[in-house]
Amino acid sequence: MSATMDTESTYSGYSHYSGHSKKAHRQGSRDRHKSPRSKDGSRSEKSVTIQTPPAEPLLGNDASRAEEGQDDNWGETTTAITGTSEHSISQEDIARISKDLEDSVGLDCKRYLGLTVAAVLGLLVFLTPIAFILLPQILWRDDLEPCGTVCEGLFISVAFKLLILLIGTWALFFRQPKADLPRVLVFRALLLVLIFLFVFSYWLFYGVRILDSKDTNYQGIVQYAVSLVDALLFIHYLAIVLLELRQLQPMFTVKVVRSTDGESRYYSLGHLSIQRAALVVLENYYKDFTVYNPALLTASKSRAAKHMAGLKVYNVDGPGNNASGQSRAMIAAAARRRDSSHNELYYEEADHERRVKKRRARLVVAVEEAFTHIKRLQAEEQQKAPGEMMDPREAAQAIFPSMARALQKYLRTTRQQQYHSMESILQHLSFCITNNMTPKAFLERYLNPGPTLQYDRDRWFSKQWTLVSEEAVTSGLQDGIVFVLKCLDFSLVVNVKKIPFIKLSEEFIDPKSHKFVLRLQSETSV
Amino acid sequence: LPAAEAQRIEIHKLRQGDNLILGFSIGGGIDQDPTQNPFSEDKTDKGIYVTRVTEGGPAEVAGLQIGDKIMQVNGWDMTMVTHDQARKRLTKRNEEVVRLLVTRQSLQKAVQQSMMS
């Protein structure tokens, strides 16, 4: 089930693109006059479609018949250069999202099934040695050979070993699951199978050789149970090594790049499967990457739209409608055109920086001034003037108006106003006042965009992730693997590189060997 | 081996006040750093080289040129001496004439070397 889901999520990207562009074409081919409006329509869906008008031969009369032919094939042969079509939501997307929601319910069942299987197996395993010891006592107590201190010693050792096993298993396995992975964790499943086979073979042996034949050597039976517990402890050791220790040593360096703005980070990972590596990357994403802000991307999109907007293609040589040739011609013309958009970009950015700096200076001054109005009352002073005392929330509300305007202007200039509501600012202010923070500490949250965890869950834009990978997600990391973590608005491209094999050699320097000479270059006149 | 001429040059010292001057400057010596010598072809050569010739001085008149390597002074060997020993041998107070045996690289090479340094 998950396999189809994985392939579907990669595949639908392409089918979505072609479906969308075909729809846009059909709209254009109906009526040439409507093409500006169809552009508007696609703009409302947040994508930019540039349609080349059908080629108009300059010598109109001869080619009128050919023109009709062109109109018929226009939908299929014209190339359209689509902008960021990932943002538009077509009908296919909605269907896909609803299907994803349905499937996630199935995944939850799978997770609970896995948990119950493991719990049942664990209980069985834990009770087995006790059963081995107790069953002969219950079933054929009278036939058993008396077994004195040796057995009692063995009972004590079994009890303590079981206790250690219990504590170890609780420490290792009983953890809140922090993630929902697409596939089963291979090592964990292998260990469960191993334990099951092991215990099963012990029960088999016990059932055939001891229960059936009603063995009277009780000491042997107790020792058999002790050997089982010892083996279980060793399996527990194996579990620690496989599940915890093996991935601690860093073997790979992983580069994570966000697709929308190119922000990148490097992480060190050990031997992990791809899905667990993706989990580590995502856990670090929420605390390392600055929050995704769609308002910051509009500038580059409008620039991209302006680049190709001014060109039209006329086919002078006749009715041969060469679509790829037309687009190549457009690209070449755009490259040769002496446009001054780089100038615009430079001055715009310089201007924006100046504005931000000015607003920031005003903000810092306003906040510093506001903070001087508040003074913390010591314990003795608190009894003296009970009337004027305020708790942190009231104090925050009292000084907030003097800095509100400057703060709001600054947030607007840096396009962060969506991320901070007035309530959150007041809360933060009272928090800072309570903890004796300086104005600069209060402003730290607003002056620089912080990691995603800092903000309200609604503004995260990234809660449901899909792992897109060419290799199976349970296979281990290798050098050169690339996988993509997609969420609805952007994706993280992860590139795996092996840490190089380091050849380290030594060189011994005798401390007495540091000697120097003067290098002279005299010139004497004679 | 590249062509290196050996020349005998006779310089008559000029009296200036209390001193007898020859009108050139020397560099090099076994106690100096041979790699910083711009005139030597082999940068491990620790010999004595002429680094400057004053215009119109006795050395220029006698035909000494910049970049010449001084092999002998009045019969004394100058290829394995310290800088100070070389200076002393050239500025002996009781000698008015010094006869030098100098080696010079061919003219083109000398010009190239001095231009490159």
Side-chain angles (χ1 to χ4, degrees):
Chain A
M1 192 178 23
S2 336
T4 50
M5 223 174 71
D6 258 357
T7 47
E8 233 176 298
S9 49
T10 40
Y11 189 65
S12 62
Y14 294 108
S15 65
H16 157 77
Y17 162 77
S18 54
H20 184 74
S21 48
K22 273 206 191 107
K23 269 185 257 167
H25 285 157
R26 288 264 148 69
Q27 288 174 4
S29 67
R30 290 284 161 256
D31 190 342
R32 228 176 291 161
H33 292 301
K34 280 209 192 119
S35 53
R37 219 200 301 158
S38 71
K39 263 198 223 160
D40 281 337
S42 47
R43 208 176 287 138
S44 70
E45 288 180 292
K46 287 183 260 164
S47 79
V48 178
T49 311
I50 293 145
Q51 300 165 346
T52 58
E56 295 168 340
L58 290 182
L59 308 169
N61 299 332
D62 301 340
S64 53
R65 220 169 296 139
E67 217 182 300
E68 279 174 65
Q70 275 172 12
D71 253 347
D72 286 308
N73 301 337
W74 192 83
E76 273 75 42
T77 53
T78 312
T79 317
I81 299 155
T82 332
T84 52
S85 45
E86 288 97 336
H87 283 263
S88 59
I89 309 230
S90 65
Q91 195 61 30
E92 298 162 323
D93 256 61
I94 294 176
R96 183 165 59 93
I97 289 173
S98 57
K99 191 159 181 244
D100 282 3
L101 287 173
E102 285 169 56
D103 277 19
S104 64
V105 175
L107 266 183
D108 270 354
C109 283
K110 195 171 76 166
R111 187 158 43 111
Y112 286 131
L113 186 69
L115 278 177
T116 46
V117 163
V120 164
L121 192 64
L123 204 61
L124 192 71
V125 162
F126 188 71
L127 293 176
T128 301
I130 303 177
F132 281 6
I133 295 176
L134 287 180
L135 277 177
Q137 295 272 357
I138 298 171
L139 293 178
W140 62 92
R141 176 184 270 270
D142 311 317
D143 301 331
L144 283 176
E145 289 168 12
C147 160
T149 38
V150 179
C151 274
E152 278 156 23
L154 289 174
F155 286 157
I156 293 178
S157 86
V158 163
F160 274 103
K161 281 181 189 160
L162 278 180
L163 182 68
I164 291 174
L165 197 62
L166 191 67
I167 296 177
T169 313
W170 169 80
L172 193 59
F173 293 115
F174 284 32
R175 276 182 244 171
Q176 275 234 349
K178 51 184 179 173
D180 208 359
L181 295 177
R183 300 269 182 159
V184 153
L185 290 167
V186 171
F187 280 141
R188 224 169 260 223
L190 275 178
L191 275 169
L192 285 178
V193 168
L194 180 69
I195 291 177
F196 175 72
L197 284 176
F198 176 73
V199 171
F200 181 71
S201 62
Y202 260 71
W203 268 111
L204 204 62
F205 184 83
Y206 187 77
V208 167
R209 298 291 286 270
I210 298 182
L211 281 182
D212 275 355
S213 61
K214 295 210 192 284
D215 192 4
T216 56
N217 180 7
Y218 193 50
Q219 186 177 340
I221 295 174
V222 176
Q223 272 176 336
Y224 183 68
V226 172
S227 78
L228 170 68
V229 181
D230 286 340
L232 283 177
L233 279 172
F234 283 129
I235 291 187
H236 188 258
Y237 156 77
L238 186 70
I240 295 179
V241 164
L242 279 183
L243 296 181
E244 303 282 313
L245 289 183
R246 189 165 173 261
Q247 46 240 32
L248 285 182
Q249 218 181 31
M251 294 288 298
F252 298 99
T253 310
V254 146
K255 176 171 182 177
V256 185
V257 183
R258 185 159 59 185
S259 64
T260 48
D261 58 356
E263 187 168 342
S264 64
R265 290 274 187 290
Y266 284 88
Y267 299 114
S268 281
L269 295 177
H271 276 293
L272 290 173
S273 60
I274 291 185
Q275 57 182 357
R276 293 198 52 180
L279 192 64
V280 171
V281 164
L282 283 179
E283 283 164 8
N284 283 316
Y285 168 79
Y286 283 108
K287 79 163 165 65
D288 282 334
F289 279 72
T290 60
V291 66
Y292 167 71
N293 195 347
L296 294 172
L297 303 169
T298 50
S300 57
K301 278 194 209 157
S302 63
R303 269 204 303 278
K306 274 195 272 174
H307 277 314
M308 298 298 249
L311 295 177
K312 279 176 138 195
V313 177
Y314 294 97
N315 198 340
V316 190
D317 298 323
N321 198 346
N322 184 2
S324 66
Q326 274 180 15
S327 60
R328 245 180 277 143
M330 274 181 75
I331 293 172
R336 259 181 261 127
R337 178 174 62 174
R338 299 179 74 224
D339 72 79
S340 55
S341 55
H342 57 277
N343 259 340
E344 281 175 40
L345 173 63
Y346 171 68
Y347 285 116
E348 221 179 271
E349 280 195 347
D351 207 30
H352 179 77
E353 267 212 41
R354 224 169 4 101
R355 241 180 304 141
V356 165
K357 282 199 178 134
K358 240 199 223 162
R359 293 258 164 100
R360 180 199 161 117
R362 282 204 198 126
L363 173 63
V364 168
V365 163
V367 171
E368 281 175 358
E369 208 203 294
F371 267 65
T372 58
H373 296 314
I374 297 240
K375 192 172 97 78
R376 178 178 272 270
L377 278 181
Q378 302 303 321
E380 319 81 50
E381 298 167 329
Q382 277 179 20
Q383 276 93 35
K384 281 189 223 162
E388 304 159 0
M389 286 199 304
M390 297 188 281
D391 67 0
R393 174 88 193 178
E394 290 163 4
Q397 276 167 336
I399 62 172
F400 180 66
S402 56
M403 64 166 91
R405 201 173 136 81
L407 183 58
Q408 199 182 48
K409 275 195 161 170
Y410 180 80
L411 289 179
R412 226 174 246 158
T413 313
T414 52
R415 316 235 179 118
Q416 286 177 300
Q417 74 269 25
Q418 306 280 0
Y419 290 93
H420 301 108
S421 65
M422 192 171 101
E423 179 56 38
S424 77
I425 300 177
L426 274 173
Q427 255 181 357
H428 187 234
L429 187 54
S430 58
F431 170 78
C432 291
I433 292 176
T434 319
N435 290 305
N436 285 328
M437 296 219 204
T438 58
K440 204 165 180 191
F442 162 72
L443 279 177
E444 165 269 335
R445 173 188 260 228
Y446 303 108
L447 290 181
N448 305 307
T452 316
L453 277 178
Q454 195 178 312
Y455 299 98
D456 202 22
R457 272 189 168 250
D458 315 329
R459 316 259 10 131
W460 277 7
F461 281 105
S462 52
K463 280 180 261 185
Q464 180 92 358
W465 294 91
T466 313
L467 174 56
V468 177
S469 149
E470 288 163 18
E471 316 259 334
V473 298
T474 49
S475 64
L477 288 179
Q478 305 268 338
D479 187 30
I481 282 187
V482 176
F483 58 92
V484 178
L485 288 160
K486 260 201 327 198
C487 75
L488 211 57
D489 295 296
F490 60 93
S491 53
L492 299 172
V493 180
V494 180
N495 206 337
V496 177
K497 279 201 173 45
K498 200 172 155 97
I499 293 180
F501 180 75
I502 297 170
K503 261 187 112 95
L504 199 58
S505 55
E506 72 158 304
E507 189 182 321
F508 174 69
I509 295 186
D510 185 5
K512 295 202 199 92
S513 70
H514 298 294
K515 302 272 181 240
F516 297 92
V517 284
L518 284 177
R519 302 195 87 152
L520 302 168
Q521 178 59 15
S522 329
E523 194 186 350
T524 323
S525 59
V526 294
Chain B
L1 282 169
E5 320 165 349
Q7 264 193 309
R8 293 188 186 277
I9 293 182
E10 193 174 295
I11 304 179
H12 296 262
K13 293 190 189 176
L14 180 68
R15 183 163 287 280
Q16 252 191 14
D18 208 21
N19 302 321
L20 284 168
I21 63 161
L22 288 152
F24 67 96
S25 300
I26 53 167
I30 53 176
D31 56 338
Q32 305 284 310
D33 177 19
T35 59
Q36 296 184 43
N37 187 344
F39 305 108
S40 60
E41 207 174 297
D42 175 13
K43 291 301 170 195
T44 58
D45 185 3
K46 294 187 173 179
I48 307 292
Y49 280 78
V50 175
T51 56
R52 228 182 319 153
V53 177
T54 50
E55 280 201 15
E60 194 188 14
V61 166
L64 191 66
Q65 288 180 14
I66 186 174
D68 288 352
K69 175 176 176 181
I70 302 175
M71 313 286 280
Q72 286 178 12
V73 171
N74 284 345
W76 293 99
D77 170 57
M78 298 285 264
T79 57
M80 280 288 166
V81 293
T82 66
H83 191 86
D84 209 40
Q85 282 171 341
R87 182 190 58 84
K88 282 195 188 134
R89 292 206 186 136
L90 284 165
T91 53
K92 285 202 157 62
R93 286 181 154 274
N94 48 2
E95 290 173 353
E96 284 222 5
V97 177
V98 284
R99 293 183 180 82
L100 312 175
L101 179 68
V102 303
T103 308
R104 181 180 304 152
Q105 291 169 358
S106 62
L107 185 62
Q108 265 180 343
K109 266 208 173 153
V111 170
Q112 263 174 22
Q113 288 259 355
S114 58
M115 280 203 315
M116 277 196 300
S117 61

